[in-house]
């Protein structure tokens, strides 16, 4: 089974063809083309929605053509065409869904609208035989959520951020420390040379019950400490980056520990059987955080599974794979599907609060 996926919900224009090897998890990526819009947004220090939409429009046809050529298959060989239908910056989502619908119509293939977050959630099953249910920590530029994943399209939110997303916090920290954009990888690089114990930063909601997160106090504390550093103090910058990253690790571990207990209780796994926790989204590319979460999972008689780093940040293989998983369960969409700027994974839960600053409110 072959599916073409298209991703345009933020600042990556991406297309990919994936193939399923059998009826369950694990497939392979035949092509995965990503064009990151770095130049377009760099001088603004964040994604500017209108510029993003125009860049998607300019590049989408060439990116799809490249993904098809590299996949070695033609449109006629596809079983379905998938695109991110939301949540995200609406101009970009319109470009991606219109392109996918046009291809689907021209080649008489079904169209599948994929929730971008479901793309992150299911990516792990493209590469590893992870079965349902699993515990998911979804950490990206617009999200920080803990979810129980019971199946394709079946999510229960256990906790979410009450203010900022963790990726946004990395991006803000990078900006304050003048480390460049995108911020997450820059903070991780700077932190390697730093002392993670030098600055004692606040850990919001630390040791409180529940699985919600809060990062705004940490963000403010980083700003206040950064203001005390003199310009060009490379050691101070590295120490602050490392202290910040360690603090984020402390917070994620604390919240995930509660989620482990809640999840075990939910699935009736009181005997302490192994729980699989998956970490996904752009921030899951961070190796320090992976290590910390892996330690927690082991301590709780669980295991941590994370997709390869290249599949953590936005790409279209995750959309193609989620589209494939939906398609084979008969979950297809009409060509009248309306792109959604907001689209919670767990529709029963109240809407989360989005990120602030440039590109505010995306992916909620
Ligand atoms: O999933 P993603 O590519 O886009 C969204 O759906 O938001 O996530 C992007 C976020 C950005 O905030 C970026 O700074 C963060 O993921 N990120 C990282 C790392 N790589 C990307 N954060 C921490 N460490 C990283 N290595
Ligand atoms: Zn994403």
């Amino acid at each position: 089974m072959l599916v073409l996926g298209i991703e345009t919900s933020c600042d990556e224009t991406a297309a990919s063809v994936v193939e399923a090897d059998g009826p369950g998890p694990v497939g392979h990526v035949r092509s995965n083309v990503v064009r990151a819009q770095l130049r377009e947004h760099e001088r603004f220090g964040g994604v500017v929605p209108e510029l993003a939409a125009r860049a998607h429009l300019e590049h989408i046809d060439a990116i799809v053509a490249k993904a098809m050529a590299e996949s070695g298959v033609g449109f006629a060989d596809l079983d379905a065409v998938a695109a991110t239908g939301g949540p995200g910056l609406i101009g970009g989502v319109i470009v991606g869904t219109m392109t996918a619908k046009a291809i689907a119509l021209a080649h008489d293939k079904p169209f599948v609208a994929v929730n971008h977050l479901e793309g992150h959630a299911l990516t792990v099953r493209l590469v590893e035989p992870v079965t349902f249910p699993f515990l998911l920590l979804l950490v990206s530029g617009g999200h920080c959520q803990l979810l129980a994943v019971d199946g394709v399209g079946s999510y229960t939110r256990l906790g979410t951020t009450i203010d900022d997303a963790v990726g946004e916090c990395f991006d803000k920290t990078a900006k304050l420390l003048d480390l460049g954009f995108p911020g997450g990888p820059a903070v991780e690089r700077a932190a390697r040379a730093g002392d993670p114990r030098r600055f004692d930063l606040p850990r919001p909601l630390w040791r409180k019950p529940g699985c919600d997160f809060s990062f705004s106090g940490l963000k403010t504390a980083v700003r206040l400490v950064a203001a005390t550093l003199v310009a060009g103090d490379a050691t101070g910058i590295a120490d602050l980056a490392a202290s910040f990253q360690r603090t984020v690790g402390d917070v994620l571990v604390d919240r995930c520990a509660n989620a482990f207990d809640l999840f075990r209780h939910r699935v009736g796994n009181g005997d302490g059987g192994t729980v699989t926790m998956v970490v996904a989204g752009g921030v899951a590319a961070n190796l320090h955080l992976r290590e910390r979460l892996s330690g927690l999972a082991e301590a709780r008689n669980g295991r941590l599974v994370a997709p390869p780093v290249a599949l953590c940040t936005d790409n279209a293989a995750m959309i193609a794979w989620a589209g494939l998983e939906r398609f084979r369960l008969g979950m297809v969409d009409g060509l009248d599907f309306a792109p959604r700027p907001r689209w919670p994974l767990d529709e029963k839960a109240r809407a989360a609060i989005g990120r602030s600053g440039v590109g505010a409110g995306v992916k909620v």
Side-chain angles (χ1 to χ4, degrees), residues 7 9-12 87 116-117 120 138-143 165-172 174 181-189 192 244-245 248 280-289 309 311-315 318 355 362-363:
E7 158 61 32
S9 67
C10 195
D11 57 341
E12 274 88 15
H116 179 86
L117 304 171
H120 280 304
L138 183 56
V139 274
S140 71
H143 285 272
V166 64
E168 195 228 325
C169 212
F170 267 94
D171 294 332
K172 245 338 129 40
F181 171 81
V187 171
E188 186 175 12
R189 255 193 318 276
R192 272 187 218 129
F244 162 76
Q245 189 173 261
V248 170
V283 182
N286 187 293
L287 298 181
H288 168 79
L289 297 178
V309 167
L311 293 180
C312 285
T313 47
D314 287 352
N315 64 83
M318 70 186 209
R355 63 171 137 180
V362 304
K363 298 193 176 164

Side-chain angles (χ1 to χ4, degrees), residues 50-69:
E50 183 57 33
L51 296 182
R54 288 183 207 188
H56 287 307
L57 195 55
E58 196 181 326
H59 296 285
I60 189 70
D61 290 344
I63 296 291
V64 169
K66 190 158 184 250
M68 290 306 295

